[in-house]
Amino acid sequence: MSPLCLTHADGTTTTLRNRLLMGSMHTGLEELPDGWDRLAAFYAERAEGGVGLIVTGGLSPNREGNMWPGMRTLDSEESASPHRAITTAVHAHGAHIVIQLLHAGRYATHAEGVAPSALRSPISPATPREMSVEDIRRTISDYAQAAILAQSVGYDGVEIMGAEGYLINQFMAPRANQRNDEWGGSLENRIRFGVETVRQVRAATRSDFIVIFRLSMLDLVEGGCTWDEVVEMAKAVAVAGASIINPYVGWHESRVPTIASLVPRGAFTGLTRRLKSELDVPVVASNRINDPRLAEQILAQDGADLVSMARPLLADPMLLNKFASGQSALINTCIACNQGCLDEAFSGRLTTCMVNPRACRETELRIEPTAEPKRIAVVGAGPGGLAFAVTAAQRGHQVTLYDAASVVGGQFNLARLIPGKEEYSETLRYFSAELVRHGVKQRLGERASSESLLKAGFDHVVLATGVVPRRLTWPGIDHPRVLRYADVIEGRAPVGARVAIVGAGGIGFDVAELLSHEHLEGDELAQFTATWGIDLKGQNPGGMTEPHPARMRRELWLLQRRPDSLGKGLGKTTGWIRRALLRRRGVNMLSGVIYERFDDEGLHITVGGVTKILPVDHVVICAGQESEQSLLGELERAGQPVSLVGGALMAGDLDATRAIDEGVRLACRL
Ligand SMILES: Cc1cc2nc3c(=O)[nH]c(=O)nc-3n(C[C@H](O)[C@H](O)[C@H](O)COP(=O)(O)O)c2cc1C
């Protein structure tokens, strides 16, 4: 029997619907004036898509616990009552919803932050005030009060956030708790805050009210908890009344990636299984489980009682229904790029999803049948063109998609060849299936000309032709050892042992990753844990061990003209990972570089007024893109209605989030 539909000893069955939990995501809608209705639509769509249990984004039970000023709290009847819109909408689809209670502690970015000890975190702007015993007691009762409010507005439970380095986690770990009263020191004292919070929440609420505890299973920071301490905490919160334990990995300040695309799928499920074997309450597997087949496998092998998916449900709210009805090829899989979600959230903007711009815009971006079907040509099958073609065809337009290449994907075909970005193939698999499903006519391997487009008499032409490299003019640029990045990534141009990469935007970093990456011993998980120093055996406090990154065989220089530090424009939540990898491998990074020339001696550059020669075998050009608009002029002169999306509209560093968003929005308008 498939674990999608388990039959228990008493004859009852459980389906994955009851076993799939939507992980907590604070989206930013919570703070918008019209946020309640938008959140209701956001969650309702996921409930309709087959999720059985939803956890909302975290809200603090009091003001001090807010992450940033102006965040909403759950601390009064007035603050609670608008939540009814959410609970009603979710219940209408037969799903359950619990609200997460998250006190930021020392991660607060405002002046009122409090914590067990007055220790500033390395990523925080302010030092928190040390909580008095009175503060501690009041805060615990604020959690209980928030749970009562949640219950009163129809939530089926609460999730108490005890992970990711937030307040409860801060109490647990010596790293952030240096108290010597009954709330610090011994393990019993350090776990008291979390345990007492669960106990009071349980006591204040109905017996069938769900109390999930989000537990830090592996802190991944120095001074974190040991595995035995984590197990003790889990047992203690279960005794105090937690109905479900939802383990998480890493603190915000950890310098180990836990959810980016280079983290192997299901990397931490082995640890979850180990935790589950110690407990009598249901345990959730979480992080980088982006494929229902993996979820099914974890459940089948008894690795967890429930599986959590967060970002995968941004990418595709209908994921579970598609899987259950045998339409897995149509799942828009989360590729863990973090560009539309975490990067936006941590930049103070609304969360969305690179591969699904409708995420958190459900009420505004509606894909509805068109009243006036048109014949539309799309030139360019990169992400922007694909998003447009599929959405327009879904609305009922007759769409013909042209690309000079014989496969769809454009620049995504390069991205997916970069180590750690293999997931990008999933997006191409999804779009390819959608093109077929919606009857888009594919003219691949055909370079559309303005004459052929005009002759075909389309009602509208969409140019999604992307970018072309801008010609650099320094002497030696045409030397045979000066290479184009696409040739290097696709393996058409062999690259020597000493290489300079010109341009340190996203593409430059990708090329540096490709050229510096070496394989270590072991499977994907073993390589990942060795590279980052993760102790999955739980022998060391915080799960940290000495990293053993692979030695780079090449000598690499990553260069940029701008004077600021390299990688500034990379994603807020993933840029540090990419920089750290290159730094550990010994890639030379130089900014403020003036390129003089390339000749048989190497690349001649001037940095800070000093001229030097980098004795490289090859130079890879990753700088300067311009919009490919060569068809535009003639089409416009002929009076052809034309639109541009993505790189064809605006060059600069490649931005698939913008390209896909523009493609979908244009298709909704036409
Ligand atoms: C935009 C965004 C907001 C998040 N907000 C929260 C939050 O408020 N509370 C929380 O416990 N986790 C939060 N998370 C973490 C997710 O719950 C989840 O653990 C993480 O995304 C990894 O799981 P996934 O691979 O299934 O996405 C957030 C994640 C994202 C992408």
Side-chain angles (χ1 to χ4, degrees):
M1 171 76 67
S2 154
L4 264 180
C5 188
L6 287 178
T7 304
H8 305 290
D10 63 0
T12 58
T13 57
T14 315
T15 62
L16 187 53
R17 170 149 213 200
N18 308 104
R19 306 186 82 194
L20 180 70
L21 173 151
M22 174 170 162
S24 167
M25 285 178 287
H26 193 99
T27 61
L29 286 171
E30 295 81 355
E31 278 69 46
L32 295 187
D34 61 349
W36 303 110
D37 290 340
R38 293 179 64 174
L39 278 169
F42 170 72
Y43 288 124
E45 216 169 270
R46 274 86 196 152
E48 191 186 351
V51 179
L53 177 58
I54 292 172
V55 183
T56 71
L59 284 191
S60 174
N62 61 31
R63 277 170 49 111
E64 296 155 347
N66 282 345
M67 277 284 274
W68 57 83
M71 207 169 164
R72 279 201 214 274
T73 48
L74 184 63
D75 60 355
S76 64
E77 279 179 23
E78 199 191 350
S79 67
S81 64
H83 285 260
R84 274 212 179 276
I86 297 172
T87 54
T88 307
V90 169
H91 291 155
H93 292 285
H96 293 89
I97 183 160
V98 308
I99 184 166
Q100 188 183 73
L101 302 179
L102 181 159
H103 188 301
R106 69 180 193 160
Y107 283 157
T109 58
H110 51 82
E112 293 169 51
V114 294
S117 301
L119 295 170
R120 186 162 74 88
S121 96
I123 56 166
S124 298
T127 302
R129 176 173 63 79
E130 178 175 310
M131 292 170 89
S132 66
V133 171
E134 170 51 32
D135 289 326
I136 292 175
R137 297 229 157 89
R138 177 178 46 80
T139 303
I140 294 173
S141 85
D142 288 342
Y143 275 100
Q145 188 56 34
I148 293 170
L149 290 168
Q151 183 176 275
S152 75
V153 293
Y155 281 109
D156 301 291
V158 291
E159 177 172 85
I160 296 170
M161 178 40 142
E164 274 184 74
Y166 290 115
L167 183 68
I168 293 176
N169 210 179
Q170 290 160 26
F171 268 97
M172 280 175 67
R175 177 182 181 84
N177 183 348
Q178 295 181 352
R179 302 178 72 98
N180 47 24
D181 60 5
E182 60 178 323
W183 304 95
S186 68
L187 176 65
E188 192 189 359
N189 287 351
R190 281 184 279 122
I191 67 175
R192 178 165 289 127
F193 184 82
V195 172
E196 192 55 21
T197 299
V198 172
R199 203 186 60 70
Q200 292 201 19
V201 164
R202 178 83 282 162
T205 51
R206 282 191 322 260
S207 60
D208 64 347
F209 196 67
I210 302 167
V211 179
I212 306 177
F213 188 80
R214 195 150 213 207
L215 172 79
S216 186
M217 179 168 68
L218 200 64
D219 292 330
L220 294 178
V221 285
E222 302 288 340
C225 291
T226 64
W227 177 254
D228 291 344
E229 290 177 335
V230 169
V231 173
E232 278 311 301
M233 175 70 168
K235 287 182 175 168
V237 291
V239 169
S243 346
I244 297 173
I245 303 289
N246 185 6
Y248 193 82
V249 166
W251 287 30
H252 275 300
E253 66 206 68
S254 304
R255 291 296 90 181
V256 176
T258 55
I259 65 169
S261 64
L262 56 66
V263 178
R265 290 181 179 186
F268 304 104
T269 49
L271 263 192
T272 309
R273 170 199 293 276
R274 202 167 141 202
L275 186 66
K276 175 174 150 54
S277 71
E278 300 268 4
L279 301 174
D280 296 326
V281 288
V283 173
V284 185
S286 159
N287 278 33
R288 284 289 283 127
I289 301 168
N290 63 346
D291 182 343
R293 280 169 300 194
L294 174 59
E296 196 178 43
Q297 196 183 323
I298 293 166
L299 296 173
Q301 294 169 354
D302 215 19
D305 301 285
L306 295 107
V307 169
S308 166
M309 291 187 179
R311 295 165 302 167
L313 289 158
L314 288 178
D316 196 337
M318 296 296 148
L319 172 153
L320 192 59
N321 283 353
K322 289 179 184 174
F323 179 62
S325 61
Q327 295 182 304
S328 291
L330 297 178
I331 292 176
N332 195 1
T333 302
C334 164
I335 59 173
C337 64
N338 289 350
Q339 289 177 29
C341 55
L342 276 186
D343 285 350
E344 291 295 287
F346 279 92
S347 306
R349 293 188 291 265
L350 196 58
T351 292
T352 183
C353 174
M354 178 166 89
V355 298
N356 174 26
R358 287 195 66 251
C360 301
R361 275 125 179 124
E362 286 73 13
T363 53
E364 130 202 9
L365 254 183
R366 293 172 189 272
I367 302 175
E368 285 165 344
T370 175
E372 272 181 71
K374 295 187 179 68
R375 288 184 62 240
I376 304 176
V378 185
V379 186
L386 287 169
F388 175 86
V390 163
T391 314
Q394 189 179 348
R395 295 193 56 217
H397 294 299
Q398 272 182 50
V399 182
T400 306
L401 175 65
Y402 294 86
D403 200 295
S406 57
V407 289
V408 300
Q411 296 275 348
F412 259 40
N413 284 309
L414 300 179
R416 69 198 183 95
L417 298 175
I418 306 301
K421 288 192 167 181
E422 295 82 357
E423 292 276 12
Y424 280 58
S425 299
E426 296 288 353
T427 305
L428 298 184
R429 184 261 309 141
Y430 161 74
F431 275 126
S432 300
E434 286 289 87
L435 290 175
V436 174
R437 182 162 81 106
H438 295 297
V440 173
K441 211 182 218 180
Q442 298 180 51
R443 308 266 296 254
L444 301 177
E446 185 173 335
R447 188 175 292 280
S449 65
S450 40
E451 299 79 57
S452 63
L453 291 169
L454 291 170
K455 195 163 156 219
F458 289 105
D459 299 316
H460 205 96
V461 173
V462 175
L463 295 181
T465 34
V467 293
V468 282
R470 188 174 340 111
R471 247 196 83 72
L472 304 180
T473 52
W474 32 272
I477 196 77
D478 293 322
H479 195 287
R481 289 196 276 119
V482 176
L483 308 173
R484 294 176 347 140
Y485 69 83
D487 294 333
V488 172
I489 296 175
E490 290 188 326
R492 285 190 298 270
V495 177
R498 291 169 306 170
V499 184
I501 298 165
V502 169
I507 299 171
F509 267 84
D510 274 356
V511 171
E513 175 59 34
L514 181 76
L515 297 181
S516 63
H517 187 91
E518 299 290 342
H519 284 283
L520 286 166
E521 294 263 305
D523 62 13
E524 201 192 353
L525 182 59
Q527 299 198 32
F528 168 67
T529 53
T531 301
W532 292 97
I534 304 171
D535 163 34
L536 283 182
K537 297 205 173 72
Q539 284 162 342
N540 302 323
M544 303 283 286
T545 181
E546 190 63 31
H548 293 289
R551 276 176 54 84
M552 182 172 66
R553 275 186 250 166
R554 287 198 170 88
E555 200 171 355
L556 270 189
W557 285 266
L558 181 57
L559 311 173
Q560 105 179 353
R561 208 158 38 118
R562 281 205 315 269
D564 44 357
S565 55
L566 269 75
K568 267 200 151 172
L570 298 175
K572 204 159 179 144
T573 62
T574 50
W576 66 269
I577 303 173
R578 307 181 72 190
R579 282 191 297 270
L581 273 176
L582 298 189
R583 222 176 280 126
R584 284 180 197 192
R585 293 177 190 149
V587 173
N588 305 293
M589 302 195 208
L590 296 179
S591 56
V593 176
I594 300 169
Y595 306 103
E596 306 291 353
R597 65 179 186 282
F598 180 75
D599 57 25
D600 290 344
E601 280 185 299
L603 182 64
H604 299 242
I605 57 172
T606 303
V607 188
V610 180
T611 300
K612 52 179 150 187
I613 306 173
L614 303 181
V616 294
D617 306 308
H618 290 101
V619 172
V620 187
I621 304 294
C622 303
Q625 313 270 3
E626 49 196 40
S627 297
E628 162 51 58
Q629 298 183 343
S630 55
L631 296 175
L632 183 63
E634 224 164 295
L635 293 175
E636 280 186 335
R637 278 192 293 281
Q640 169 73 60
V642 190
S643 305
L644 299 157
V645 295
L649 179 64
M650 192 162 74
D653 215 358
L654 300 178
D655 185 350
T657 311
R658 181 175 62 80
I660 294 177
D661 183 73
E662 284 169 6
V664 171
R665 282 178 193 274
L666 177 64
C668 287
R669 280 198 309 272
L670 277 186

